[in-house]
């Protein structure tokens, strides 16, 4: 047998193992509300190749590749436990087991590591929480995809309705088509049918009522069987408490805004300040995509080194707010053709930092340049630290934060030397640290942070919705504080 044959045989063996993992992962999710992760990446509804690629990607973070032969025993160990709703990272289980010197078996180690999800400590499965989308644009449709994906267990969030203004022509059919196909994010993973008679889109068994309205105060959601729902306003039309309160109609319990809130509306970046949301708070903002991208790594740097001042420059993909060709726009530069120009504009991300990190005394300034790409942006965070450090120390710190800290779902890490923006389409993290581009000299650190300003941000919004709905389950092994 040749070396090539050995490599191919090994590959086929790993494919076989990954294939055997899929039904176990699916059953844990459907029957016990357990989401299996690999270094914060969900393995639910993933293909054989996707599972193998997730294991391969571990080398970009931890420095060495994980093998399914290492993680499969931990997955089998989970099936023998009386698990409650939770998220369990088998990548972290395998990594921590490597360094454990107690001589425990995989089953014994796993039982101890996830003890908080079993027995008397486990969370009981809850009834699903209704969700309504107000608006169905770029963010709205990605939120719909995520909510449908997360409805698999039947005990989390359930997308019940979408509220839009009626357009001319086959409105329902066209909106379903936009959900089904996306030029950036690809095909919807599943099936979509349209019931025009009942104004309903059925996506992977989820019946989504399409409600036509020009006025939020005109809708009684209880008439559609919706109760205690979380409404996500992704139109950006209203940003203050008075405007957003119009959504608090019969059937609606809380309102989440997918844009920076104004006035006393709390701006929340999940992973950083979501714990400050008061149980009785009904109006919440998820800030902006750029705020979500810079605040978690800013907190990670401030906690470790202290930050005296900083500036963020975002090189941002163009959005629907800009014009395809030169035309009138209320903002001077945004009226110029988005696909043909780099456009200097403003960003509210820097000022929003103060709301998300009120204890940070550093002054953070910011500006933005819109560039001719349709998705994925990069934030260049230039910080003056309170003490001197080195590039190696900063990278080791951020790599560890991305692996084991409470910010590991917000901060990802890549050491790929040839990484470009398209590589991060579909990233579920708020931002990704580019190790190769990081610069540190004395007390000055410059971080290059990629972020999918559409999908990564939508994931952050869903995390906030899960938190306020009581559907955000603990992760095991527990992150290192």
């Amino acid at each position: 047998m040749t070396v090539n044959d050995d490599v191919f045989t090994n590959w086929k063996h790993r494919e076989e193992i990954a294939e055997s993992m899929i039904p176990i992962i699916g059953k844990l999710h459907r029957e016990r509300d357990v989401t299996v992760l690999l270094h914060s990446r969900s393995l639910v509804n993933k293909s054989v190749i996707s599972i193998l690629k997730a294991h391969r990607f571990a080398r970009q973070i931890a420095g060495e590749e994980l093998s399914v032969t290492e993680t499969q025993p931990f997955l089998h160990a989970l099936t023998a436990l009386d698990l409650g709703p939770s998220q369990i990272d088998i990548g972290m289980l395998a990594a921590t087991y490597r360094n454990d010197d107690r001589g425990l078996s995989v089953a014994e180690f796993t039982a101890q590591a996830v003890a908080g999800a079993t027995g008397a400590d486990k969370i009981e499965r809850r009834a699903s929480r209704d969700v309504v989308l107000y608006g169905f644009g770029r963010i709205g449709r990605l939120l719909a995809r995520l909510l449908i994906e997360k409805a698999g267990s039947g005990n989390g969030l359930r997308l019940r309705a979408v509220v839009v203004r009626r357009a001319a022509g086959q409105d329902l059919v066209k909106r379903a088509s936009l959900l089904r196909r996306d030029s950036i994010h690809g095909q919807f993973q599943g099936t979509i049918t349209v019931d025009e008679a009942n104004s309903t889109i059925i996506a992977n068994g989820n019946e989504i009522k399409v409600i036509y309205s020009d006025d939020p105060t005109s809708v009684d959601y209880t008439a559609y069987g919706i109760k205690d729902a979380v409404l996500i306003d992704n139109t950006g039309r209203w940003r203050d408490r008075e405007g957003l309160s119009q959504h608090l109609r019969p059937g609606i319990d809380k309102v989440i805004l997918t844009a920076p809130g104004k006035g006393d509306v709390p701006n929340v970046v999940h992973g950083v300040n979501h714990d400050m949301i008061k149980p009785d708070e009904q109006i919440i903002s998820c800030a902006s995509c750029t705020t979500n991208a810079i605040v978690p790594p800013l907190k990670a740097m401030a906690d470790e080194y202290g930050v005296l001042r900083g500036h963020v420059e975002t090189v941002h993909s163009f959005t629907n707010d800009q014009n395809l060709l030169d035309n009138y726009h209320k903002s001077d530069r945004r009226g110029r053709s988005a696909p043909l120009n780099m456009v200097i504009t403003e960003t509210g991300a820097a000022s929003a930092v103060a709301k998300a990190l009120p204890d940070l005394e550093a002054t953070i300034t910011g500006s933005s340049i819109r560039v001719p790409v349709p998705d994925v942006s990069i934030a260049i965070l230039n910080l003056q630290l309170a003490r001197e450090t080195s590039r190696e120390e900063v990278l080791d710190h951020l790599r560890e934060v991305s692996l084991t800290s409470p910010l590991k779902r917000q901060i990802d890490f890549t050491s790929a030397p040839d990484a470009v923006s398209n590589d991060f389409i579909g990233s579920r993290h708020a931002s990704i640290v580019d190790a190769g581009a990081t610069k540190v000299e004395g007390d000055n650190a410059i971080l290059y942070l990629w972020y999918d300003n559409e999908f990564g941000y939508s994931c952050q919004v869903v995390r906030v919705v899960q938190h306020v709905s009581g559907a955000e389950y603990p992760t095991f092994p527990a992150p290192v504080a």
Side-chain angles (χ1 to χ4, degrees), residues 220-239:
D220 180 348
Y221 293 93
T222 59
Y224 303 96
I226 297 168
K227 61 179 182 178
D228 298 325
V230 177
L231 181 145
I232 308 174
D233 184 332
N234 55 92
T235 67
R237 184 176 174 185
W238 303 279
R239 298 194 180 188

Side-chain angles (χ1 to χ4, degrees), residues 85-104:
S86 55
Q87 299 186 108
I88 299 179
D89 195 320
I90 57 175
M92 286 304 300
L93 283 173
T96 52
Y97 184 67
R98 283 179 186 171
N99 300 320
D100 190 83
D101 58 4
R102 293 174 293 167
L104 300 175

Side-chain angles (χ1 to χ4, degrees), residues 374-443:
D375 188 32
V376 180
S377 305
I378 190 166
I380 305 166
L381 189 58
N382 193 332
L383 303 174
Q384 182 185 351
L385 308 176
R387 68 175 174 89
E388 294 191 352
T389 182
S390 66
R391 182 173 181 272
E392 292 72 22
E393 184 186 345
V394 168
L395 290 179
D396 285 345
H397 171 60
L398 293 174
R399 182 188 289 108
E400 191 64 24
V401 166
S402 74
L403 277 172
T404 64
S405 83
L407 292 171
K408 66 181 184 178
R409 287 201 292 169
Q410 282 69 46
I411 301 176
D412 204 0
F413 188 93
T414 182
S415 56
D418 55 352
V420 293
S421 60
N422 266 10
D423 298 332
F424 305 104
I425 291 175
S427 170
R428 295 179 180 236
H429 288 77
S431 61
I432 305 99
V433 176
D434 191 311
T438 300
K439 303 182 188 310
V440 180
E441 185 174 346
D443 63 353

